[in-house]
Amino acid sequence: MSATHTITVTEEHAGLRLDKFLSEVLQEVSRARCTKLVDEGCVEPAKSASYKVKLGEVFTVTVPEVKALALTPEAIALDIVYEDEHLLIINKPPGMTVHPAPGAYTGTLVHALLAHCGDSLSGIGGVARPGIVHRIDKDTSGLLAVAKNDAAHQALSTQLKDRTLKRTYLCYAWGSLSPRDGEIDAPMGRNPRFRKQMAVVSNGKHALTYYTTLDTYIPKSSIQPIVSKIECQLDTGRTHQIRVHLAHKKCALIGDKVYGTAAGTKFNRMRSSHTVIPQETLLSLTEFPRQALHARELALIHPFSGEEMQFFAPIPADLEALEWTLTSLTNRA
């Protein structure tokens, strides 16, 4: 059912834009949603969203019933790191798609969240759906934040935009970076040759990644690292940013079938030409089934309490096995 609110402008709110006033009083409704309610004629007396409210004015706001999302909830087990009435922090396994898309119309994180949350979703933009604040790729594991209501989604999206929501990733990449620690500041956009891929392009959008080399794996009887263990922190959040930036630096992720082909081919040749590394070890590295990327840490400010929160996701089993292989290779296990 729709809900009707009658609210009076107090001295605290006098002079604010109507949409801002409504969002501050109706705390579960985002400002963007309030603007839409004004535009749709759900606020009486009728005004524009930019109208400056006056002390003592009374407005009647009708918030329509939240519409159901046209997806069937699926009872899929979730690794829930944190949950309250406003948000969820999920540790997503590799292989799970976040949103329904061609080729993945079922079994997605959204389907699982609809089943898990049930009636606790109060609606994002008027639709009962989980608000995915930021995405991670199907084959990337780790943490992502999900909003349960409009206001939480708006607040977390703002944090993402102003960079107060921090995301730190762990990855394993071919070769090594020079310098070992630093930043990759390279604009990104669509690959002009392969439109389904991203690339570093001169006319792209600003993209900045900070990185720290945590370890390098140098085989016995060799002086060159075959693989590096790297921590990356996103300043911006372009599609495939870490994958593209590391490939641009000739240090592509292990297992990256899109951006790491050249690196994988280079080291794949070592099966027949390099005797330092056991053939079975090379096989396990060059045929690792996904990009070796894990969203390990997430830091944010709770959208209602204002509490600074930090979450960690342990390294998944497949990456743990990969690291064991690498440490064994360098005789440091």
Side-chain angles (χ1 to χ4, degrees), residues 240-296:
H240 301 167
Q241 181 171 315
I242 291 174
R243 298 167 62 188
V244 171
H245 269 179
L246 290 182
H248 177 67
K249 295 285 284 185
K250 312 300 182 186
C251 196
L253 294 180
I254 285 179
D256 194 331
K257 305 301 188 295
V258 176
Y259 303 107
T261 304
T265 301
K266 172 185 174 182
F267 284 92
N268 201 25
R269 293 195 195 104
M270 297 172 68
R271 292 187 196 178
S272 58
S273 64
H274 205 296
T275 58
V276 172
I277 302 172
Q279 298 301 302
E280 61 188 50
T281 302
L282 276 172
L283 186 66
S284 68
L285 295 178
T286 56
E287 297 190 3
F288 193 73
R290 69 171 178 105
Q291 63 258 15
L293 182 62
H294 177 60
R296 182 173 66 175

Side-chain angles (χ1 to χ4, degrees), residues 37-66:
L37 290 175
V38 175
D39 294 342
E40 291 176 345
C42 297
V43 179
E44 293 291 341
K47 303 286 184 181
S48 69
S50 61
Y51 171 77
K52 302 293 180 65
V53 300
K54 299 177 178 63
L55 178 64
E57 282 187 296
V58 179
F59 293 91
T60 300
V61 184
T62 301
V63 181
E65 182 179 6
V66 172

Side-chain angles (χ1 to χ4, degrees), residues 44-321:
E44 293 291 341
K47 303 286 184 181
S48 69
S50 61
Y51 171 77
K52 302 293 180 65
V53 300
K54 299 177 178 63
L55 178 64
E57 282 187 296
V58 179
F59 293 91
T60 300
V61 184
T62 301
V63 181
E65 182 179 6
V66 172
K67 299 176 183 177
L69 187 64
L71 291 176
T72 302
E74 297 179 29
I76 302 170
L78 292 171
D79 183 358
I80 299 172
V81 178
Y82 174 85
E83 181 176 14
D84 64 22
E85 62 183 308
H86 302 294
L87 63 92
L88 277 158
I89 305 298
I90 302 293
N91 181 17
K92 188 188 80 67
M96 175 181 270
T97 301
V98 174
H99 286 96
Y105 292 112
T106 62
T108 72
L109 179 61
V110 169
H111 287 89
L113 288 168
L114 287 172
H116 173 79
C117 295
D119 294 336
S120 68
L121 295 173
S122 64
I124 309 294
V127 180
R129 63 180 174 89
I132 308 296
V133 179
H134 57 105
R135 300 187 186 194
I136 54 178
D137 297 331
K138 173 185 176 182
D139 289 329
T140 298
S141 57
L143 298 172
L144 77 168
V146 180
K148 288 186 175 183
N149 56 59
D150 213 3
H153 187 255
Q154 183 81 4
L156 293 172
S157 296
T158 298
Q159 289 183 41
L160 188 65
K161 186 177 180 179
D162 65 19
R163 297 164 172 75
T164 53
L165 190 152
K166 302 292 186 183
R167 295 158 292 163
T168 303
Y169 291 75
L170 178 69
C171 60
Y172 297 84
W174 293 110
S176 59
L177 288 165
S178 180
R180 284 178 58 93
D181 308 328
E183 63 181 49
I184 305 172
D185 188 350
M188 286 178 52
R190 289 286 171 189
N191 188 321
R193 295 179 59 196
F194 307 101
R195 298 298 296 174
K196 291 185 178 181
Q197 298 180 20
M198 306 301 289
V200 170
V201 290
S202 59
N203 61 344
K205 294 181 179 179
H206 173 60
L208 176 60
T209 304
Y210 299 104
Y211 69 87
T212 302
T213 300
L214 302 178
D215 204 353
T216 54
Y217 301 93
I218 305 173
K220 291 172 288 184
S221 304
S222 177
I223 60 172
Q224 296 295 326
I226 184 174
V227 172
S228 294
K229 180 180 180 180
I230 303 167
E231 179 182 274
C232 292
Q233 186 172 96
L234 291 176
D235 183 72
T236 54
R238 306 303 174 203
T239 300
H240 301 167
Q241 181 171 315
I242 291 174
R243 298 167 62 188
V244 171
H245 269 179
L246 290 182
H248 177 67
K249 295 285 284 185
K250 312 300 182 186
C251 196
L253 294 180
I254 285 179
D256 194 331
K257 305 301 188 295
V258 176
Y259 303 107
T261 304
T265 301
K266 172 185 174 182
F267 284 92
N268 201 25
R269 293 195 195 104
M270 297 172 68
R271 292 187 196 178
S272 58
S273 64
H274 205 296
T275 58
V276 172
I277 302 172
Q279 298 301 302
E280 61 188 50
T281 302
L282 276 172
L283 186 66
S284 68
L285 295 178
T286 56
E287 297 190 3
F288 193 73
R290 69 171 178 105
Q291 63 258 15
L293 182 62
H294 177 60
R296 182 173 66 175
E297 183 179 341
L298 182 64
L300 54 83
I301 300 169
H302 192 280
F304 287 91
S305 71
E307 177 187 359
E308 293 184 359
M309 310 181 79
Q310 196 167 20
F311 304 97
F312 298 90
I315 184 172
D318 60 347
L319 293 185
E320 189 173 40

